[in-house]
Amino acid sequence: MVDIRRMRMSDLKAVIEIEETAFPKPWSLNAFISQLANDASICLVAVAKKPERVVGYLVVTQFVGVWHILDLAVHQDFQRHYIATDLLEYFFDLSGREPHRGYCLEVRKSNRGAIKMYESFGFICSGIRKGYYNDNGEDALIMWRDSEDMLA
Ligand SMILES: CC(C)(COP(=O)(O)OP(=O)(O)OC[C@H]1O[C@@H](n2cnc3c(N)ncnc32)[C@H](O)[C@@H]1OP(=O)(O)O)[C@@H](O)C(=O)NCCC(=O)NCCS
């Protein structure tokens, strides 16, 4: 249904539009630009065909040997069509080629759909950050997945 490729500067208008409807505290344009300029980051988009348009994206960065999933969203009209799944599978394929310690992310405790999706990829809840989200004081679950090397 979609093609997955690296994010470009020219995708950012569409990315920001999705970001602003997906999150109560959306990332700024500069936040995306910094990730595009960061050699340690992988920024992907999902592109629907006919008409061609960006309908989802994933931003991940590596530090101290761990991949941190920083941002993932799919346009509301395109959700539940496995687009986030496609983005994550593409990313795991890319990141699995080099040694690393694993993957982690934070997710709102109330975001049951996202938590279910991450669990289906082998993430487990490894901790809680109390009051992590400053828009409503909600807790974040810290989710972790071992690298493929450690799973083997
Ligand atoms: C979370 C999000 C990225 C999922 O994108 P998506 O493309 O709709 O997800 P997929 O279609 O790949 O879902 C795969 C599986 O995850 C689970 N899942 C995903 N969204 C779900 C939801 N809203 N409710 C329940 N389960 C859900 C389901 O098990 C689903 O498989 P199924 O449809 O066969 O039941 C999307 O809902 C979104 O952009 N939300 C707003 C931003 C956000 O919360 N990002 C994550 C922050 S950590």
Side-chain angles (χ1 to χ4, degrees):
M1 184 194 176
V2 292
D3 288 327
I4 310 294
R5 62 161 170 76
R6 298 275 183 164
M7 190 185 288
R8 304 168 187 147
M9 288 289 281
S10 57
D11 296 320
L12 290 183
K13 184 170 180 288
V15 165
I16 290 283
E17 277 173 19
I18 299 169
E19 175 79 8
E20 287 182 349
T21 58
F23 296 106
K25 298 272 282 182
W27 275 21
S28 65
L29 178 62
N30 279 342
F32 285 101
I33 292 172
S34 326
Q35 291 302 320
L36 281 175
N38 185 346
D39 289 339
S41 299
I42 293 179
C43 306
L44 301 173
V45 288
V47 183
K49 300 158 207 165
K50 295 182 187 169
E52 196 168 295
R53 62 182 288 203
V54 170
V55 295
Y57 54 89
L58 171 65
V59 179
V60 191
T61 197
Q62 192 187 104
F63 54 92
V64 289
V66 175
W67 284 105
H68 296 255
I69 297 182
L70 300 179
D71 201 358
L72 169 62
V74 171
H75 189 291
Q76 276 178 345
D77 297 346
F78 290 81
Q79 290 179 3
R80 303 304 289 270
H81 291 288
Y82 302 106
I83 293 173
T85 298
D86 286 350
L87 283 160
L88 286 166
E89 282 177 350
Y90 190 101
F91 162 68
F92 287 130
D93 183 44
L94 272 182
S95 59
R97 295 174 196 171
E98 301 288 335
H100 62 95
R101 290 169 50 214
Y103 305 91
C104 74
L105 60 92
E106 278 100 15
V107 58
R108 282 178 195 261
K109 201 172 149 186
S110 63
N111 196 346
R112 301 306 310 166
I115 293 167
K116 191 172 168 202
M117 178 183 67
Y118 292 126
E119 285 173 343
S120 76
F121 276 96
F123 282 85
I124 52 165
C125 178
S126 64
I128 293 180
R129 290 194 208 284
K130 294 297 273 180
Y132 182 74
Y133 296 99
N134 58 16
D135 59 311
N136 64 353
E138 188 172 351
D139 298 346
L141 300 191
I142 304 166
M143 299 193 79
W144 173 266
R145 172 178 136 150
D146 284 332
S147 74
E148 289 74 6
D149 300 344
M150 296 171 89
L151 292 169

